[in-house]
Amino acid sequence: MNQPHIIDAHSHLWLTQDTTVDGQRICQLEPNRSRSLFFGEERQMLPPFMTDGQNTAERFLSNMDYAQVAAAVVTQEFIDGLQNDYLSEVQRQYPDRFFCFGMADYRVPGFLRVADGLMQCFKGIKVPAARLPRQFLNDEMMQMMHLMEERGILLGIELADGDAQVGQMEEIIQECPNLKIAIGHFGMVTRENWMSQIRLARHENVYVESGGITWLFNDEFYPFPSAIRAIREAADAVGMEKLMWGSDYPRTITAITYKMSYDFVVKSSEMTDGEKRLFLGENARRFFGFRDLKVLPYIKNMSE
C-alpha cells in the first residue's frame, strides 16, 4: 500500500500522572517503576523500560518516526490528570506533528470559564463523558458546546458503553450542527449496541476514531481479524471517509509495538488500498487540519 501520511487520531502524553478519580488515586508507583496504581490495582501503564513514568512528546516522536507516523492527535482523560500546561507546550514546540486537546474538570461547576480560557490555547476540547454522570449534558455543558461551535473548536468525546449517552449526543448535534465532533474508542466496539455510536457519524460533521481498538480486541490479539470486520461494518454504515485510525498510545504498546497498532490494517486483505489511505491518515488530515506533513523514511531493523 502506498501510504504517504499515517496520522494517529488518539494518543496520550504526560509528564506526571498523579490524580484522583471517583475518590481513588491513580499515580506512578515509586521508585523507578513503569507501573501505576489504578483504582486500587497495580497496572502496567507504560512499557516497562519507561521507568521514570514520563510519557513525553520526544519519546512518542521517536516511536512515530520509527513507525512512519507523520502526526498524532493527543487527547486527554481524567485517569491521566489534567495535562493542559504540558500539552500547550507540546503544541507550541511541535505544531506540525501534534494536535492537542485541552480539557477542563467537568465534575466541578464553573468549568465553562476554564474551558473558555483553554479555547485560546487549543483547537480542540476533550470531554470524557463516559467518566461523567450518565446524564452529562447540563446547561453549562451545552453552553460550552455552543461556544465551541461559534469559535470553530473541535470536540473530542468518549461515551458510555452502547447507547446510554447517544441521545444526548443527538441533542448536541441538533443544537450545534456546525460543531465538528470526533467520537472516541470506536464506539466501544466490543460492547453491546456499539453501532449506535458509530451511526452518529451519519451526521455531516461527526467522525469516529479507533483509539483503543487493539485493547478492546486484546483477547484475540494480532492481527485482530474481528477489529477489521468491525471497521468494515462501521464503514458500511457511515462510509470509510468518516473513520480514523487511533492507537491509544502508550497504554496499548504494553501489549504490542506501536507499529503493530496500525500494521494489522495495512496487511489486511479485506480493505482496499484507497480505504486504508482514508482510514490511516487522509480522513484525520482533513478533519484535524494537518498541513505540511513530511513523508518519513523506512528505517531497517538491526534484525533484518
Side-chain angles (χ1 to χ4, degrees), residues 57-58 61 86 89-99:
E58 289 73 25
L61 284 168
Y86 180 53
E89 176 60 23
V90 169
Q91 187 74 85
R92 185 197 65 79
Q93 193 169 358
Y94 305 106
D96 298 332
R97 301 299 300 273
F98 293 115
F99 178 107

Side-chain angles (χ1 to χ4, degrees), residues 27 30 44 95 169 187 190 210 248 279:
C27 62
E30 298 291 346
Q44 192 72 43
M169 284 307 306
T190 55
S210 74
D248 210 1
F279 182 72

Side-chain angles (χ1 to χ4, degrees), residues 46 74 76 78-79 88 110 161 194 241 262 271 274 276 292:
L46 294 170
V74 183
Q76 296 201 52
F78 287 145
I79 64 172
S88 63
D161 293 359
W194 68 279
E241 67 276 7
Y262 75 81
M271 296 170 63
K276 293 173 186 178
D292 302 322

Side-chain angles (χ1 to χ4, degrees), residues 32 72 108 144 195 204 231 251 267 302:
N32 301 323
V108 180
M144 188 181 80
M195 279 295 296
E204 181 179 1
I231 294 167
R251 283 180 273 270
K267 289 183 167 60
M302 284 296 292

Side-chain angles (χ1 to χ4, degrees), residues 166-178:
V166 167
Q168 295 170 77
M169 284 307 306
E170 291 281 7
E171 186 176 348
I172 291 171
I173 294 164
Q174 182 176 358
E175 285 277 326
C176 306
N178 295 315

Side-chain angles (χ1 to χ4, degrees), residues 74-290:
V74 183
T75 187
Q76 296 201 52
E77 231 272 28
F78 287 145
I79 64 172
D80 300 334
L82 295 177
Q83 301 293 331
N84 295 313
D85 290 344
Y86 180 53
L87 294 188
S88 63
E89 176 60 23
V90 169
Q91 187 74 85
R92 185 197 65 79
Q93 193 169 358
Y94 305 106
D96 298 332
R97 301 299 300 273
F98 293 115
F99 178 107
C100 298
F101 278 98
M103 185 176 74
D105 191 346
Y106 312 107
R107 301 164 296 187
V108 180
F111 62 78
L112 179 59
R113 179 183 57 81
V114 176
D116 186 6
L118 291 174
M119 292 180 210
Q120 316 304 317
C121 305
F122 296 100
K123 296 179 182 178
I125 296 294
K126 170 65 181 294
V127 177
R131 296 198 186 275
L132 294 173
R134 187 62 57 91
Q135 181 61 41
F136 76 93
L137 184 58
N138 55 29
D139 289 343
E140 189 172 19
M141 184 68 73
M142 186 61 89
Q143 290 179 52
M144 188 181 80
M145 299 298 168
H146 280 291
L147 188 60
M148 292 170 62
E149 180 189 34
E150 177 184 321
R151 296 184 181 176
I153 303 295
L154 277 63
L155 169 65
I157 190 163
E158 287 145 18
L159 304 175
D161 293 359
D163 58 2
Q165 295 174 325
V166 167
Q168 295 170 77
M169 284 307 306
E170 291 281 7
E171 186 176 348
I172 291 171
I173 294 164
Q174 182 176 358
E175 285 277 326
C176 306
N178 295 315
L179 177 64
K180 294 178 70 175
I181 301 169
I183 305 292
H185 288 166
F186 218 66
M188 293 301 290
V189 57
T190 55
R191 311 297 196 256
E192 189 176 358
N193 294 326
W194 68 279
M195 279 295 296
S196 64
Q197 295 189 33
I198 302 297
R199 284 190 288 270
L200 289 168
R202 290 174 175 173
H203 295 281
E204 181 179 1
N205 292 319
V206 181
Y207 285 59
V208 176
E209 46 91 342
S210 74
I213 197 168
T214 60
W215 152 62
L216 289 163
F217 286 102
N218 183 63
D219 289 346
E220 183 179 82
F221 206 66
Y222 188 91
F224 308 106
S226 295
I228 293 293
R229 287 193 290 271
I231 294 167
R232 284 250 52 99
E233 183 177 354
D236 289 342
V238 300
M240 192 65 75
E241 67 276 7
K242 286 302 198 76
L243 308 178
M244 303 180 289
W245 166 68
S247 71
D248 210 1
Y249 174 99
R251 283 180 273 270
T252 48
I253 66 166
T254 60
I256 58 175
T257 68
Y258 183 51
K259 187 172 183 178
M260 287 169 71
S261 66
Y262 75 81
D263 192 55
F264 74 99
V265 174
V266 174
K267 289 183 167 60
S268 173
S269 61
E270 298 184 43
M271 296 170 63
T272 68
D273 283 354
E275 289 173 330
K276 293 173 186 178
R277 280 191 289 271
L278 290 173
F279 182 72
L280 291 175
E282 183 57 28
N283 295 337
R285 184 197 62 77
R286 185 175 64 252
F287 184 82
F288 291 102
F290 284 107

